[in-house]
Amino acid sequence: MRKADRIYVAGHRGMVGSAVCRVLERGGYGNVVTRTHAELDLLDPAAVRAFYAAERPDVAVIAAARVGGIGANSAANARFLYENELIALNTVWGAAEAGVRRLLFLGSTCIYPRLAPQPIPESALLTSALEKTNEGYALAKISGLKLCEFLRRERGLCYHSLMPTNLYGPGDSYDLVGGHVLPTMIRKFEEARQRGDASVPLWGTGTPLREFLHVDDLAEACLFVLNLADPPDLLNVGSGEEVSIRDLAEKVRAATGCLATIDWDATKPDGTPRKLCDTSRIRALGWAPRISLDEGLRRTVACYRAECAARTVRLGR
Ligand code: GFB
């Protein structure tokens, strides 16, 4: 990418999009184009076509999506499929039609089969059944990455995709019902500590394993791959460290200084048992994460407390 390139970041107000904007600014890329949801409805193909025709970006980073944790996804697979499919197809197809030179599409490692070999290689895509709790979101992200692949093959456009593992960090949603596990645990333990609660309710059995990557590491990976002359179509990006939900809870409890005990509600879903992604391909190209889970948790608890104090924290419902 050139410093003067006009770079559209779709979803710039979200956790991923805002991290990408920060890393572009730090890198001296001063020509960033953004639109709020009120300014541009990505579900509307005509509006997206008109935007691309008017703004004519050189590069597009597609970080816009309807996202959520296991609770949000499993309660609304239809909406997650519908909205994320439209966002993916409109932003990618619209970019190709407008002659956008380069595009990076962001998905998630939930695109891989529920029982994929671990760690999950990119080649595991579409080799067996998806995890039911987030099938809609996964199908939409698979469509988006496949559209990028087809456009690259048919039109020679350098459109490629990154599939990050579970992300966390500044600007995350702390919605107790729809949020992801890590931010939700931070909020639950923080509020229990402040109220002096004796126990904290957590979901499932605590036995599943998850991998976590700080969103600032992902943003650096985005810039890294955007500066590759010939990037692979699809690359996983993750920390390579997995932790059980139970151990994560202990880490979050320690990071918040909460003394409450934990009540596991086995009526809530566990979701996929593991989803450690194989990141050997992106590491072989020269990228590596820099923020460990312990350091990331320390930073994120401090960030959550600051967002609460500034009343900018996204608490959802
Ligand atoms: O981040 P999360 O909600 O979604 O993590 P996934 C869910 C795991 O954490 C399950 C346990 O094993 C839950 O039982 N858990 C324990 C909790 N307590 C809680 C809690 O209070 N809240 C939540 N949310 N979970 C998501 C996909 O899967 O991964 C998304 O649904 C996306 O589409 C994301 O791909 C990266 O990790 O299971």
Side-chain angles (χ1 to χ4, degrees):
M1 264 192 324
R2 298 182 294 258
K3 299 289 186 187
D5 276 342
R6 199 161 168 70
I7 306 167
Y8 169 46
V9 178
H12 72 290
R13 284 185 162 174
M15 175 173 69
V16 172
S18 54
V20 169
C21 288
R22 288 195 299 272
V23 86
L24 289 173
E25 187 181 356
R26 277 201 307 273
Y29 297 89
N31 198 352
V32 174
V33 178
T34 59
R35 286 291 184 281
T36 63
H37 187 202
E39 292 165 338
L40 176 57
D41 178 2
L42 297 179
L43 302 184
D44 176 353
V48 174
R49 273 199 303 274
F51 162 76
Y52 276 126
E55 291 300 327
R56 309 202 71 75
D58 303 298
V59 180
V61 179
I62 311 304
R66 169 177 283 273
V67 296
I70 195 167
N73 273 271
S74 50
N77 262 298
R79 180 168 292 279
F80 272 77
L81 172 59
Y82 172 72
E83 291 194 11
N84 288 306
E85 190 82 44
L86 277 179
I87 291 170
L89 300 183
N90 289 340
T91 55
V92 174
W93 185 261
E97 291 293 280
V100 173
R101 190 185 77 240
R102 181 118 187 204
L103 182 140
L104 176 60
F105 179 76
L106 291 165
S108 154
T109 51
C110 76
I111 64 166
Y112 295 113
R114 170 183 166 83
L115 300 175
Q118 305 282 328
I120 308 170
E122 291 87 350
S123 58
L125 184 63
L126 294 172
T127 54
S128 66
L130 296 169
E131 160 63 29
K132 286 296 179 198
T133 53
N134 54 52
E135 194 173 15
Y137 180 78
L139 289 168
K141 288 303 183 179
I142 291 169
S143 296
L145 75 90
K146 279 295 179 183
L147 182 57
C148 290
E149 193 181 299
F150 297 155
L151 286 164
R152 188 171 190 179
R153 192 183 310 155
E154 295 167 13
R155 302 191 189 184
L157 293 168
C158 190
Y159 289 15
H160 50 113
S161 302
L162 272 186
M163 295 297 131
T165 189
N166 288 41
L167 299 169
Y168 68 99
D172 206 345
S173 163
Y174 290 85
D175 183 331
L176 292 178
V177 175
H180 290 97
V181 60
L182 192 149
T184 309
M185 281 186 177
I186 288 176
R187 181 176 172 188
K188 285 183 174 180
F189 281 112
E190 272 291 278
E191 292 182 346
R193 177 180 60 79
Q194 290 161 350
R195 292 190 299 251
D197 295 354
S199 66
V200 170
L202 294 181
W203 296 358
T205 63
T207 56
L209 295 167
R210 288 294 183 274
E211 177 188 17
F212 295 96
L213 182 73
H214 192 283
V215 72
D216 287 348
D217 272 337
L218 170 69
E220 292 291 349
C222 291
L223 186 57
F224 174 79
V225 296
L226 280 168
N227 282 310
L228 293 177
D230 185 20
D233 286 336
L234 176 62
L235 282 171
N236 293 336
V237 53
S239 62
E241 297 172 45
E242 61 180 346
V243 62
S244 73
I245 296 298
R246 192 176 292 274
D247 288 347
L248 175 70
E250 290 305 331
K251 285 179 178 286
V252 175
R253 180 161 62 176
T256 58
C258 180
L259 301 175
T261 58
I262 297 169
D263 288 340
W264 294 98
D265 176 357
T267 66
K268 299 285 188 191
D270 270 343
T272 192
R274 277 183 86 186
K275 52 177 178 172
L276 175 67
C277 63
D278 178 348
T279 53
S280 54
R281 290 178 73 185
I282 193 170
R283 291 169 190 264
L285 291 166
W287 176 85
R290 290 188 279 198
I291 303 169
S292 70
L293 180 57
D294 290 337
E295 170 58 17
L297 272 177
R298 188 193 62 73
R299 291 188 196 183
T300 306
V301 169
C303 190
Y304 171 74
R305 288 172 176 167
E307 289 176 5
C308 286
R311 297 187 185 284
T312 56
V313 66
R314 295 167 58 201
L315 297 177
R317 278 158 283 193

